[in-house]
Amino acid sequence: MIAILTRDLRLAIRSGGGFGLSLMFFLIVVVLTPFAVGPEPQILSPIAGGILWLGAMLACLLSLDRIFALDYEDGSLDLLATAPIPMEGIVTVKALAHWLTTGLPLTLAAPAFGLLLDLPFSAFGLLTLSLALGTPALSMIGTFGAALTVGIKRGGLLLSLLVLPLYVPTLIFGAEVVRRGIEGLSIAPALMMLAGITAGSIALIPFAAAAAIRVGLR
Amino acid sequence: MSLWEYANPRKFIATTDVVLPWFWAGTIACLVVGLIWGFFFTPDDFRQGSTVKIIYLHVPSALMAINAWLMMLVASLIWLIRRHHVSALAAKAAAPVGIAMTLIALLTGAIWGAPIWGKPWAWDPRLTSFLWLFLFYIGYIVLWQALDDMDTAADMTSILCLVGSVFALLSRYAFLFWNSGLHQEASLSLDKETNIADVFYYPLLLCIAGFVLLFITLVLVRTRMEIRARRMKALIARERMV
Amino acid sequence: MMPDLGRYATEVISAYVVSIVIILAIVALTLWQARKTKARLEEVEKRSVRRG
């Protein structure tokens, strides 16, 4: 399993992988926002947390179709399926690799991008915390969507259509942590729900995703 | 005589041949009488004026939008556990009807909301949930269409339906958490049977029955259609082999 | 015959029109698709019977 992980990571970091791409996309969303809504701090400041969460979510979505598509095309997914590792394990490792190459860099970059959007100073820690807690769920749910569309040619748009509604709860609770933090409200419930979604996704989604992969390879 | 006998496509078609005309008749009777009763012969509400008449469309369609999802969930489970094709095809048949119901609920809600709340759309948890449902129906239908092989498509959409149901509940909770209490002045308490006067209640009941029958009828017709389409595909495949 | 709908007449009538149009549309679509599928199946079946 560690071999799969290192292989996936190496493939992603090499040229043509999605490694830098989603980070660039995130940066573009953040840079474009002031052009759309205006540069005034009193406009940007209250929406910064939400924009950063939305940008991170969309950037995450961008690289989802790479999770299985390349392996499906060159046949290595069939080989993995016959390997002595359960499919659930493969799916989890794939999601972990996706998180390490998108979710983690996004989380680390978000505070820097927060400066661009006049994010209130008190919210930097909360933003990082909520992204760190929430992005694993995004990767996991996205892996499920990628598994559903594994055999479909040009399934990228369909994948977004399927995955976006599933991202809604994570987005709401994640952005809510930042919003409530800025307004000085209690953040514990939103934070716990966010952590709960992530824990639940990691625990249960591998089974659904593995079932979908098995169907897709049949 | 067990329920599972109807899982045989031939038996299903034969039985529905007999009952379908009755369902059509019941649907038309209930809807025509209920809607005419509601539109022409009910008084105006003292607060909302004549807009209360929209309830005869709004509440039944909203009910069926959710029930269509429930039916798809049950049918998907039956397909995954017992692998009856009719069940998977019935789930597929229900989705477009569900989307139509969701659309009616959203549109009548917007038309109703414009004069009463002052704006057609509010990010009220209930409205947001229906919008979510609408998006999810679209994804479900597109996934069905994207996969050629019927068994693969049935499996994938069933898994999606199961996972989606969990996330539907989660989203519903998230919406409540996110924007609760903002639009509580909305007079949706009319939904509760206890709060609604008899003059409104009986035609509403009739309309609900009409929508339920309409849903069943359309799902039966569409399921028959899907069964035939599947048989046609099999025949064509066999022709190609020869 | 028309009931007095007061100042909300447009809303009520448009709600009914929209809903009835959607209902008729889904019914028409369903019937059309069902008829088309049935006809095509019969055609294919006839062909396969002829071939034995």
Side-chain angles (χ1 to χ4, degrees), chain A residues 141 144 147-148 152 158 162 165-166 168-169 172-173 176 179-180 189-190 193 208 212 215-216 218, chain B residues 132 136 138-139 142-143 146-147 151-152 155-156 159-160 163-164 167 170-171 173-175 177-178:
Chain A
I141 297 165
F144 169 66
L148 277 182
I152 301 172
L158 172 62
L162 294 180
L166 304 183
V168 166
I172 287 182
F173 288 117
E176 198 75 353
R179 199 175 83 179
R180 295 192 171 207
M193 280 307 295
V215 173
R218 199 164 52 201
Chain B
W132 191 94
F136 208 84
I138 294 179
V142 175
L143 185 61
L147 290 157
D151 280 17
T152 309
D155 278 332
M156 291 291 195
I159 296 170
L160 175 68
V163 175
F167 276 89
L170 210 55
S171 305
Y173 181 76
F175 297 142
F177 181 84
W178 164 68

Side-chain angles (χ1 to χ4, degrees), chain B residues 10-222:
Chain B
R10 212 172 283 271
K11 172 95 180 161
F12 181 86
I13 293 221
T15 314
T16 47
D17 253 340
V18 180
V19 297
L20 252 185
W22 295 100
F23 274 112
W24 275 119
T27 306
I28 293 167
C30 283
L31 273 186
V32 168
V33 174
L35 287 180
I36 287 180
W37 186 357
F39 188 80
F40 291 100
F41 303 107
T42 53
D44 290 354
D45 182 68
F46 70 98
R47 259 184 320 135
Q48 311 195 30
S50 57
T51 53
V52 73
K53 292 182 178 178
I54 299 177
I55 202 175
Y56 305 113
L57 297 160
H58 186 65
V59 170
S61 59
L63 263 177
M64 289 324 292
I66 298 169
N67 284 340
W69 180 276
L70 275 182
M71 187 234 130
M72 280 159 57
L73 177 61
V74 172
S76 299
L77 272 175
I78 293 175
W79 159 251
L80 286 177
I81 295 167
R82 299 201 52 154
R83 316 235 29 114
H84 293 307
H85 283 100
V86 173
S87 177
L89 293 173
K92 183 185 184 184
V97 189
I99 221 172
M101 295 294 175
T102 317
L103 203 57
I104 294 177
L106 281 173
L107 287 176
T108 53
I111 293 169
W112 196 355
I116 300 299
W117 296 347
K119 49 184 180 175
W121 182 261
W123 289 98
D124 169 89
R126 209 181 295 220
L127 298 184
T128 319
S129 303
F130 270 86
L131 196 61
W132 191 94
L133 196 61
F134 184 68
L135 291 178
F136 208 84
Y137 272 129
I138 294 179
Y140 179 88
I141 293 174
V142 175
L143 185 61
W144 258 111
Q145 286 171 348
L147 290 157
D148 270 342
D149 182 60
M150 190 250 147
D151 280 17
T152 309
D155 278 332
M156 291 291 195
T157 50
S158 298
I159 296 170
L160 175 68
C161 189
L162 294 190
V163 175
S165 304
V166 176
F167 276 89
L169 290 175
L170 210 55
S171 305
R172 175 102 181 91
Y173 181 76
F175 297 142
L176 284 169
F177 181 84
W178 164 68
N179 196 4
S180 61
L182 257 183
H183 289 274
Q184 286 307 303
E185 84 272 16
S187 29
L188 284 173
S189 62
L190 272 176
D191 279 0
K192 309 247 161 42
E193 290 161 12
T194 42
N195 288 11
I196 189 168
D198 279 356
V199 262
F200 301 122
Y201 185 54
Y202 291 117
L204 179 60
L205 218 55
L206 208 57
C207 286
I208 291 177
F211 271 78
V212 172
L213 285 171
L214 175 70
F215 174 75
I216 297 174
T217 314
L218 286 176
V219 169
L220 287 180
V221 173
R222 295 192 76 91

